[in-house]
Amino acid sequence: MKSDNSSCNRNNRKILLVGDIGKAFLDVGNITDERYELCANMLDAVNAAANNDFAGIGIVMAGTSAKLSSVLKALRTGCDAKIVLLAQMYEEPIAIQLLGSICNGTNAADDYLICPIHPDRFYESIMTTETRSAGKVGLSMPADTALETKIKQLERLATEDDLTGLKNRRYIWEFSRQIIERAALENKRVTLLAFDIDNFKRYNDLYGHSVGDEVLKQAAVLMQRCCRSHDVVGRIGGDEFAVIFWDDPQASPADAPEERRSPRADHPKEAIFIAKRFVRELENSELTPLAGLGPEGKGVLTISGGLASFPRDGSTIQELFQQADKALLEAKRSGKNRIHLVGKPQSDIADID
Amino acid sequence: MTVSKGDSNLSLLVILVGALEDEFVRQTMNLLERLGVEFVLCDNVYSAVGDLAKRESRDVLIIGRIGLLSKEQGRLFHIARVKGYRCCCLVDRDLVCRQKLILKAIESGAYLIEKPAEIEEVLMKLLTGGNVRSSGEKENRRASGFRKDEFRTTKAELDALLEVQSDEKR
């Protein structure tokens, strides 16, 4: 039986890092032998954890989610180290799910961090946090709750748009980069919808900036309502928004047909369906700040957008944004209130069955 | 995880990897109970390896289908060899198992069986004086250091198995 962690000096014990650390850390050079032991293989990690007294275990999730619950169960049985999941942005929902699942009377994992992360931040998260006590169900309590809360606040400020609560431009770009990298490896699809609100300046000029802000907020709420829970909606500037549609994170790579990644493959039907639904919702919505307009307030809010897909329209996020922006401009020139698909000139999604 | 206490005089412990729905697992469990051998049923290789750490002083035999035991590039075979344990793999005829993994199993000193019923023969051999401890690093021997006749026997088994598979494809 291992000794109780809470009574041990955690600083004298090593941390086990499992998986492809290059995908998790900003500066892999800081991962030193004195502090860490590395395991590329999950089975070796279970073996190492069962035979050593580690202070904590960091698991790089990238591409391992299918077997992770079995691995966590085995780790919980074999040792009492603190387990921190190192998740890519797109893996956050799975990490949260795993944190909430119960394994041997406690949480399957103690915490998760979104990558890429600095090794010192990870080290602190292992060392400054108390381990779970035996049999206690619930998240671990940080030693310095105020500091932890502050860090979480700063993380939110760095990734979210203040006005709408959507993800900000920085998050969208980093998320897109990670998800495209994964899509290339696992034969998955990624689609970008870039859109803006038609004649947005007019709302500000006619009704004031507070009304303009309300329009942005309501457009954000409507878009989120139309999307699937794992799709990511962001405000990337002024009245410009971006939505990243991607394949279900729980689906295994084998589920994706080979033709999906073909450059000739069509845009995913799901993305087109959601975009069409959003346009329809906008038409039917009665925007609160414009309620004073009476019947004229209904359906006045319209958007123009462009939709680009990986890999057919580009292999990087820059290329996808360029293509989607071009399609958006075409949509504006063609009379607004429409979404154009890249590679299908003059084709509004409304015309697609 | 199912644990069954067997005859306390036997030092052999079996870690059976697989699901209860599997006919091979059920048959093996019945056999182990009949022979009075203590066993632990693990769903997967991860819990099997986690469990192995608690069995340092026991003679352990790990039984399962080769498809299950060879997960994670067959690392279980390596871990078993280092600890001096032995594996027994059912090589399914309908499974197109990669030759590399079968070789890893052989190098670890694993028994390969073709039919579930053959497990009894393996167990009887071990219970009637056979040494379950593999000739792994406990004796400081590498795979290349296997006795020639020992390797020749298992290689012949492999050849036979592969021939059966290729015949069936034809």
Side-chain angles (χ1 to χ4, degrees), chain A residues 9-26:
Chain A
N9 184 354
R10 300 173 64 79
N11 293 313
N12 290 338
R13 292 150 65 198
K14 280 191 171 186
I15 296 171
L16 177 65
L17 274 175
V18 191
D20 185 355
I21 58 167
K23 284 187 175 170
F25 294 101
L26 286 169

Side-chain angles (χ1 to χ4, degrees), chain A residues 180-215:
Chain A
I180 287 173
E181 197 178 292
R182 168 188 175 262
L185 287 172
E186 296 182 9
N187 197 19
K188 301 272 185 183
R189 300 170 301 178
V190 180
T191 297
L192 165 72
L193 168 65
F195 71 91
D196 68 17
I197 292 166
D198 292 331
N199 309 312
F200 179 70
K201 192 174 176 301
R202 212 182 58 184
Y203 294 108
N204 276 336
D205 294 346
L206 283 177
Y207 307 105
H209 284 91
S210 59
V211 171
D213 286 351
E214 276 305 315
V215 166

Side-chain angles (χ1 to χ4, degrees), chain A residues 41-42 44 47 50 67 74, chain B residues 44 46 53 72-73 75-76 83:
Chain A
N41 188 294
M42 290 287 182
D44 287 332
N47 186 40
K67 59 188 171 191
Chain B
N44 51 57
Y46 307 106
E72 300 274 359
Q73 297 88 46
R75 290 297 291 174
L76 174 72
K83 287 176 183 282

